[in-house]
Amino acid sequence: MIIYLFGATTPTGLAFEILCKEKFPHIKLVSISRKSKNSYFVDLDDPNTFKPNSKEKFFIVSFSPIWKFASFLDSIFLRKSFILKNLNGIITCSSSSIYTKKFSFNKFDKNLYQNLNNSESKLIKLSKTLKISLCILEPTLIYGNIGSYKDNNINLILSLIRFFPFLIIPSRSGLRQPIHCSQLATVAIKKIEDFLNNNNENFSKLAIGGDKIINFEEMLYLIQSKYSQKNKLSRCFIIKIPNRIFYFVLSPIVILSPKLYESLLRINADLSGFIKVSNILNIKEEDFPLQNDNLLKK
């Protein structure tokens, strides 16, 4: 049995690699990348570069952009379907944006929703045709640094806190449910285990988030307090203003960048209510934020 791991050079991909080798030492893990020299080279824009072992059954786990991954597999199926004859199942990472950005008004987010929706539909159709198991993970805000790989969410907030002496936010902010990359990787490991034990349905979608549901203001303070000792972030002040004034101050931005404007408006949106990791794994709830690879050291 082989597991082909796409997106191995992401924080979640690296976390999965560490956990998979520990959980399934008898299964060969092939980490795929078009960047790292230490990984098996495959270019998602060129289906001909994927040459799985023709004699062994395999799973595919992907933390690469789902629109690239779905088109990649679809092209293989249309051109060389025999390559997938030993494929037993697919676990792929999508995004909760398929729900939260469905009714966005800016072009970028509209296109993102369409790409996510079309990609999921392609993979569902492919899994039904090949009669294989498929699990689509739809995580909310992913954070965490594993090794040299860093997330683009919490690290962006950290950069803002370091750079600006103060941040202005609306007095009422929306809920968030951040998920650590190693938590997401652990869910993927659980689904692999289900695949191996035949304990899962042929198709599943899991819209998942972390265990703590907090508002945006609480998230800022928790990040600031957790990282302040090492990075001197306590100098940045969080200033709250009435929501109407906040929206008024932001209004000129819509002319320059509708995408940025809508992303700032989402500070007041509730982006939570997803399945908690602890409920899937049947474990105790974890605090926020989890730092670096602390889950991997347990």
Side-chain angles (χ1 to χ4, degrees):
M1 181 67 71
I2 301 174
I3 296 175
Y4 290 99
L5 172 62
F6 289 79
T9 55
T10 63
T12 309
L14 181 56
F16 179 88
E17 186 176 344
I18 295 169
L19 292 168
C20 186
K21 289 178 180 178
E22 180 182 316
K23 183 70 176 181
F24 307 116
H26 60 288
I27 296 179
K28 182 179 180 181
L29 176 66
V30 179
S31 297
I32 290 173
S33 173
R34 65 175 183 179
K35 297 179 181 179
S36 175
K37 294 181 180 179
N38 297 324
S39 301
Y40 179 76
F41 176 82
V42 173
D43 186 348
L44 288 177
D45 294 323
D46 184 3
N48 293 320
T49 58
F50 183 50
K51 299 175 182 178
N53 189 314
S54 60
K55 298 180 180 180
E56 290 194 60
K57 295 184 181 297
F58 64 93
F59 293 111
I60 291 179
V61 178
S62 175
F63 298 108
S64 58
I66 189 173
W67 49 91
K68 277 184 168 288
F69 176 67
S71 295
F72 173 78
L73 277 190
D74 196 46
S75 295
I76 290 177
F77 176 72
L78 293 175
R79 299 177 189 178
K80 298 180 179 180
S81 60
F82 64 90
I83 289 179
L84 303 177
K85 66 178 181 179
N86 288 326
L87 177 60
N88 272 22
I90 300 169
I91 298 172
T92 187
C93 189
S94 181
S95 171
S96 62
S97 292
I98 196 169
Y99 307 110
T100 61
K101 296 184 180 179
K102 184 175 182 179
F103 302 107
S104 295
F105 60 76
N106 75 83
K107 185 177 180 181
F108 178 88
D109 288 339
K110 282 183 177 181
N111 288 339
L112 175 60
Y113 163 75
Q114 287 297 334
N115 284 334
L116 292 172
N117 189 53
N118 292 340
S119 300
E120 289 191 6
S121 297
K122 279 183 184 179
L123 291 174
I124 292 169
K125 182 179 179 180
L126 181 64
S127 69
K128 289 180 178 179
T129 302
L130 295 175
K131 296 180 180 179
I132 59 173
S133 297
L134 169 67
C135 176
I136 299 176
L137 303 176
E138 299 169 327
T140 181
L141 186 148
I142 303 173
Y143 74 98
N145 303 332
I146 302 294
S148 60
Y149 301 116
K150 299 182 178 181
D151 73 83
N152 294 320
N153 293 311
I154 299 301
N155 281 289
L156 173 60
I157 294 175
L158 285 172
S159 296
L160 294 174
I161 293 175
R162 288 192 188 102
F163 185 78
F164 293 103
F166 62 88
L167 292 179
I168 298 174
I169 64 171
S171 57
R172 297 188 309 276
S173 56
L175 299 176
R176 298 293 185 271
Q177 197 176 346
I179 179 171
H180 194 275
C181 55
S182 58
Q183 291 178 304
L184 178 57
T186 303
V187 173
I189 292 291
K190 172 67 166 57
K191 296 309 296 184
I192 286 288
E193 196 170 25
D194 288 343
F195 282 178
L196 292 171
N197 295 328
N198 295 317
N199 290 334
N200 63 295
E201 60 273 33
N202 289 332
F203 167 65
S204 62
K205 286 174 65 171
L206 294 176
I208 58 176
D211 296 324
K212 297 300 180 183
I213 298 177
I214 53 180
N215 64 40
F216 188 82
E217 178 189 354
E218 291 173 319
M219 186 174 73
L220 286 181
Y221 279 120
L222 286 170
I223 292 171
Q224 190 177 36
S225 63
K226 195 78 171 182
Y227 293 90
S228 61
Q229 293 181 349
K230 293 182 179 180
N231 298 286
K232 299 180 180 180
L233 301 178
S234 56
R235 297 175 182 174
C236 181
F237 295 96
I238 310 299
I239 300 174
K240 297 189 295 181
I241 62 175
N243 286 50
R244 290 184 180 182
I245 296 177
F246 181 77
Y247 300 146
F248 176 75
V249 172
L250 291 181
S251 57
I253 297 177
V254 72
I255 300 174
L256 301 174
S257 174
K259 176 180 178 293
L260 176 60
Y261 177 69
E262 190 164 4
S263 67
L264 292 171
L265 289 183
R266 278 197 296 272
I267 292 176
N268 193 44
D270 287 339
L271 306 179
S272 63
F274 303 104
I275 303 171
K276 293 183 177 181
V277 169
S278 58
N279 290 340
I280 297 173
L281 303 177
N282 195 26
I283 59 175
K284 69 175 184 177
E285 292 189 353
E286 297 282 357
D287 289 328
F288 170 86
L290 294 167
Q291 287 186 281
N292 301 323
D293 57 352
N294 53 355
L295 280 187
L296 304 179
K297 295 178 181 177
K298 291 185 176 181

